[in-house]
Amino acid sequence: MNNDTTEQPTRLGYEIIRDHVLPTILGKHENEILYWAGKDIARKFPMFSTDELPAFFSEAGWGQLTFSSNKQPKDEAWLILQQPDLTVLEKRSYQLEAGFLAEQFQKLNGYLAECYAEKQVKKKQIHFIVKWDTKTTV
């Protein structure tokens, strides 16, 4: 047996915790708690630019994140998360990722920010809309 290798958690193990254990424990407060947990994760893993976000999502096992190519208002960012598994897409809360994005943009822009997740089932995507208030600095 080679002691130099480290075991990586399986995708199944991650999905069991994310899609079954957490919803059971958190119950009706799942979305709110996951959003604030995402903000806390962002504070512990700060990005130095928005360019780092796709790599972090990939490394965390959250999926492939891209910036929308559509023209966006100056106080918003639109991002797209690919989710090829429709079963996961329909059942999973994406508030953990939304909270993470809100906190990262808040830190990077210096303005109070919020993020909304919209499931696009037919496209197998989650659209994140990050909005910040240029009148409220943090």
PDB file of all heavy atoms in Angstrom, residues 21-35 93 95:
ATOM      1  N   VAL A  21     -28.253  15.050   3.627  1.00  0.00           N
ATOM      2  CA  VAL A  21     -28.008  15.316   5.044  1.00  0.00           C
ATOM      3  C   VAL A  21     -28.328  16.770   5.406  1.00  0.00           C
ATOM      4  O   VAL A  21     -29.082  17.030   6.350  1.00  0.00           O
ATOM      5  CB  VAL A  21     -26.552  14.959   5.434  1.00  0.00           C
ATOM      6  CG1 VAL A  21     -26.259  15.350   6.872  1.00  0.00           C
ATOM      7  CG2 VAL A  21     -26.293  13.468   5.217  1.00  0.00           C
ATOM      8  N   LEU A  22     -27.768  17.726   4.667  1.00  0.00           N
ATOM      9  CA  LEU A  22     -28.008  19.139   4.993  1.00  0.00           C
ATOM     10  C   LEU A  22     -29.485  19.528   4.941  1.00  0.00           C
ATOM     11  O   LEU A  22     -29.980  20.168   5.878  1.00  0.00           O
ATOM     12  CB  LEU A  22     -27.175  20.056   4.104  1.00  0.00           C
ATOM     13  CG  LEU A  22     -25.702  20.154   4.463  1.00  0.00           C
ATOM     14  CD1 LEU A  22     -24.968  21.037   3.458  1.00  0.00           C
ATOM     15  CD2 LEU A  22     -25.498  20.663   5.866  1.00  0.00           C
ATOM     16  N   PRO A  23     -30.222  19.162   3.887  1.00  0.00           N
ATOM     17  CA  PRO A  23     -31.645  19.525   3.886  1.00  0.00           C
ATOM     18  C   PRO A  23     -32.415  18.933   5.068  1.00  0.00           C
ATOM     19  O   PRO A  23     -33.314  19.576   5.619  1.00  0.00           O
ATOM     20  CB  PRO A  23     -32.159  18.966   2.554  1.00  0.00           C
ATOM     21  CG  PRO A  23     -30.965  18.912   1.677  1.00  0.00           C
ATOM     22  CD  PRO A  23     -29.815  18.583   2.601  1.00  0.00           C
ATOM     23  N   THR A  24     -32.043  17.722   5.479  1.00  0.00           N
ATOM     24  CA  THR A  24     -32.711  17.097   6.619  1.00  0.00           C
ATOM     25  C   THR A  24     -32.412  17.852   7.909  1.00  0.00           C
ATOM     26  O   THR A  24     -33.304  18.137   8.699  1.00  0.00           O
ATOM     27  CB  THR A  24     -32.275  15.621   6.758  1.00  0.00           C
ATOM     28  OG1 THR A  24     -32.633  14.931   5.561  1.00  0.00           O
ATOM     29  CG2 THR A  24     -32.931  14.956   7.955  1.00  0.00           C
ATOM     30  N   ILE A  25     -31.168  18.215   8.098  1.00  0.00           N
ATOM     31  CA  ILE A  25     -30.765  18.921   9.325  1.00  0.00           C
ATOM     32  C   ILE A  25     -31.320  20.343   9.351  1.00  0.00           C
ATOM     33  O   ILE A  25     -31.819  20.806  10.372  1.00  0.00           O
ATOM     34  CB  ILE A  25     -29.228  18.953   9.447  1.00  0.00           C
ATOM     35  CG1 ILE A  25     -28.678  17.548   9.693  1.00  0.00           C
ATOM     36  CG2 ILE A  25     -28.788  19.885  10.579  1.00  0.00           C
ATOM     37  CD1 ILE A  25     -27.171  17.457   9.591  1.00  0.00           C
ATOM     38  N   LEU A  26     -31.228  21.039   8.228  1.00  0.00           N
ATOM     39  CA  LEU A  26     -31.596  22.460   8.182  1.00  0.00           C
ATOM     40  C   LEU A  26     -33.097  22.698   8.020  1.00  0.00           C
ATOM     41  O   LEU A  26     -33.592  23.769   8.357  1.00  0.00           O
ATOM     42  CB  LEU A  26     -30.821  23.163   7.070  1.00  0.00           C
ATOM     43  CG  LEU A  26     -29.299  23.070   7.172  1.00  0.00           C
ATOM     44  CD1 LEU A  26     -28.648  23.726   5.973  1.00  0.00           C
ATOM     45  CD2 LEU A  26     -28.802  23.665   8.476  1.00  0.00           C
ATOM     46  N   GLY A  27     -33.792  21.734   7.470  1.00  0.00           N
ATOM     47  CA  GLY A  27     -35.246  21.832   7.328  1.00  0.00           C
ATOM     48  C   GLY A  27     -35.686  23.058   6.553  1.00  0.00           C
ATOM     49  O   GLY A  27     -35.081  23.427   5.543  1.00  0.00           O
ATOM     50  N   LYS A  28     -36.712  23.719   7.058  1.00  0.00           N
ATOM     51  CA  LYS A  28     -37.299  24.857   6.330  1.00  0.00           C
ATOM     52  C   LYS A  28     -36.377  26.072   6.283  1.00  0.00           C
ATOM     53  O   LYS A  28     -36.624  27.008   5.537  1.00  0.00           O
ATOM     54  CB  LYS A  28     -38.649  25.242   6.931  1.00  0.00           C
ATOM     55  CG  LYS A  28     -38.581  25.800   8.328  1.00  0.00           C
ATOM     56  CD  LYS A  28     -39.963  26.153   8.853  1.00  0.00           C
ATOM     57  CE  LYS A  28     -39.864  26.756  10.237  1.00  0.00           C
ATOM     58  NZ  LYS A  28     -41.172  27.150  10.741  1.00  0.00           N
ATOM     59  N   HIS A  29     -35.305  26.067   7.048  1.00  0.00           N
ATOM     60  CA  HIS A  29     -34.354  27.186   7.068  1.00  0.00           C
ATOM     61  C   HIS A  29     -33.128  26.929   6.183  1.00  0.00           C
ATOM     62  O   HIS A  29     -32.156  27.684   6.234  1.00  0.00           O
ATOM     63  CB  HIS A  29     -33.905  27.479   8.502  1.00  0.00           C
ATOM     64  CG  HIS A  29     -35.040  27.811   9.411  1.00  0.00           C
ATOM     65  ND1 HIS A  29     -35.772  28.975   9.295  1.00  0.00           N
ATOM     66  CD2 HIS A  29     -35.594  27.107  10.421  1.00  0.00           C
ATOM     67  CE1 HIS A  29     -36.720  28.989  10.213  1.00  0.00           C
ATOM     68  NE2 HIS A  29     -36.635  27.865  10.908  1.00  0.00           N
ATOM     69  N   GLU A  30     -33.197  25.875   5.386  1.00  0.00           N
ATOM     70  CA  GLU A  30     -32.050  25.486   4.565  1.00  0.00           C
ATOM     71  C   GLU A  30     -31.519  26.638   3.720  1.00  0.00           C
ATOM     72  O   GLU A  30     -30.315  26.918   3.736  1.00  0.00           O
ATOM     73  CB  GLU A  30     -32.428  24.321   3.648  1.00  0.00           C
ATOM     74  CG  GLU A  30     -31.308  23.915   2.707  1.00  0.00           C
ATOM     75  CD  GLU A  30     -31.713  22.840   1.719  1.00  0.00           C
ATOM     76  OE1 GLU A  30     -32.916  22.552   1.568  1.00  0.00           O
ATOM     77  OE2 GLU A  30     -30.800  22.293   1.083  1.00  0.00           O
ATOM     78  N   ASN A  31     -32.375  27.317   2.971  1.00  0.00           N
ATOM     79  CA  ASN A  31     -31.910  28.367   2.072  1.00  0.00           C
ATOM     80  C   ASN A  31     -31.217  29.501   2.812  1.00  0.00           C
ATOM     81  O   ASN A  31     -30.147  29.954   2.402  1.00  0.00           O
ATOM     82  CB  ASN A  31     -33.069  28.917   1.231  1.00  0.00           C
ATOM     83  CG  ASN A  31     -33.499  27.943   0.163  1.00  0.00           C
ATOM     84  OD1 ASN A  31     -32.717  27.134  -0.309  1.00  0.00           O
ATOM     85  ND2 ASN A  31     -34.762  28.005  -0.210  1.00  0.00           N
ATOM     86  N   GLU A  32     -31.811  29.969   3.901  1.00  0.00           N
ATOM     87  CA  GLU A  32     -31.224  31.077   4.650  1.00  0.00           C
ATOM     88  C   GLU A  32     -29.886  30.694   5.269  1.00  0.00           C
ATOM     89  O   GLU A  32     -28.921  31.453   5.195  1.00  0.00           O
ATOM     90  CB  GLU A  32     -32.172  31.558   5.762  1.00  0.00           C
ATOM     91  CG  GLU A  32     -33.469  32.126   5.260  1.00  0.00           C
ATOM     92  CD  GLU A  32     -34.570  31.072   5.080  1.00  0.00           C
ATOM     93  OE1 GLU A  32     -34.304  29.861   5.214  1.00  0.00           O
ATOM     94  OE2 GLU A  32     -35.705  31.486   4.791  1.00  0.00           O
ATOM     95  N   ILE A  33     -29.815  29.512   5.854  1.00  0.00           N
ATOM     96  CA  ILE A  33     -28.578  29.076   6.505  1.00  0.00           C
ATOM     97  C   ILE A  33     -27.476  28.839   5.478  1.00  0.00           C
ATOM     98  O   ILE A  33     -26.323  29.228   5.686  1.00  0.00           O
ATOM     99  CB  ILE A  33     -28.823  27.826   7.379  1.00  0.00           C
ATOM    100  CG1 ILE A  33     -29.744  28.194   8.560  1.00  0.00           C
ATOM    101  CG2 ILE A  33     -27.508  27.237   7.874  1.00  0.00           C
ATOM    102  CD1 ILE A  33     -30.231  27.009   9.362  1.00  0.00           C
ATOM    103  N   LEU A  34     -27.819  28.218   4.349  1.00  0.00           N
ATOM    104  CA  LEU A  34     -26.813  27.984   3.314  1.00  0.00           C
ATOM    105  C   LEU A  34     -26.287  29.298   2.742  1.00  0.00           C
ATOM    106  O   LEU A  34     -25.097  29.425   2.453  1.00  0.00           O
ATOM    107  CB  LEU A  34     -27.364  27.101   2.193  1.00  0.00           C
ATOM    108  CG  LEU A  34     -27.554  25.625   2.545  1.00  0.00           C
ATOM    109  CD1 LEU A  34     -28.149  24.872   1.369  1.00  0.00           C
ATOM    110  CD2 LEU A  34     -26.240  24.986   2.982  1.00  0.00           C
ATOM    111  N   TYR A  35     -27.156  30.300   2.580  1.00  0.00           N
ATOM    112  CA  TYR A  35     -26.718  31.602   2.072  1.00  0.00           C
ATOM    113  C   TYR A  35     -25.674  32.206   3.011  1.00  0.00           C
ATOM    114  O   TYR A  35     -24.612  32.642   2.571  1.00  0.00           O
ATOM    115  CB  TYR A  35     -27.920  32.538   1.925  1.00  0.00           C
ATOM    116  CG  TYR A  35     -27.613  33.834   1.212  1.00  0.00           C
ATOM    117  CD1 TYR A  35     -27.626  33.894  -0.175  1.00  0.00           C
ATOM    118  CD2 TYR A  35     -27.306  34.987   1.924  1.00  0.00           C
ATOM    119  CE1 TYR A  35     -27.359  35.082  -0.843  1.00  0.00           C
ATOM    120  CE2 TYR A  35     -27.034  36.182   1.263  1.00  0.00           C
ATOM    121  CZ  TYR A  35     -27.069  36.219  -0.120  1.00  0.00           C
ATOM    122  OH  TYR A  35     -26.791  37.396  -0.768  1.00  0.00           O
ATOM    123  N   SER A  93     -30.589  23.228  -3.404  1.00  0.00           N
ATOM    124  CA  SER A  93     -30.584  24.669  -3.145  1.00  0.00           C
ATOM    125  C   SER A  93     -29.221  25.200  -3.562  1.00  0.00           C
ATOM    126  O   SER A  93     -28.192  24.593  -3.248  1.00  0.00           O
ATOM    127  CB  SER A  93     -30.799  24.941  -1.658  1.00  0.00           C
ATOM    128  OG  SER A  93     -30.515  26.288  -1.365  1.00  0.00           O
ATOM    129  N   GLN A  95     -28.199  28.263  -2.683  1.00  0.00           N
ATOM    130  CA  GLN A  95     -27.996  29.436  -1.848  1.00  0.00           C
ATOM    131  C   GLN A  95     -26.592  29.489  -1.247  1.00  0.00           C
ATOM    132  O   GLN A  95     -26.098  30.562  -0.938  1.00  0.00           O
ATOM    133  CB  GLN A  95     -29.063  29.504  -0.756  1.00  0.00           C
ATOM    134  CG  GLN A  95     -30.448  29.766  -1.313  1.00  0.00           C
ATOM    135  CD  GLN A  95     -30.474  31.019  -2.163  1.00  0.00           C
ATOM    136  OE1 GLN A  95     -30.165  32.102  -1.688  1.00  0.00           O
ATOM    137  NE2 GLN A  95     -30.816  30.876  -3.433  1.00  0.00           N
TER     138      GLN A  95
END
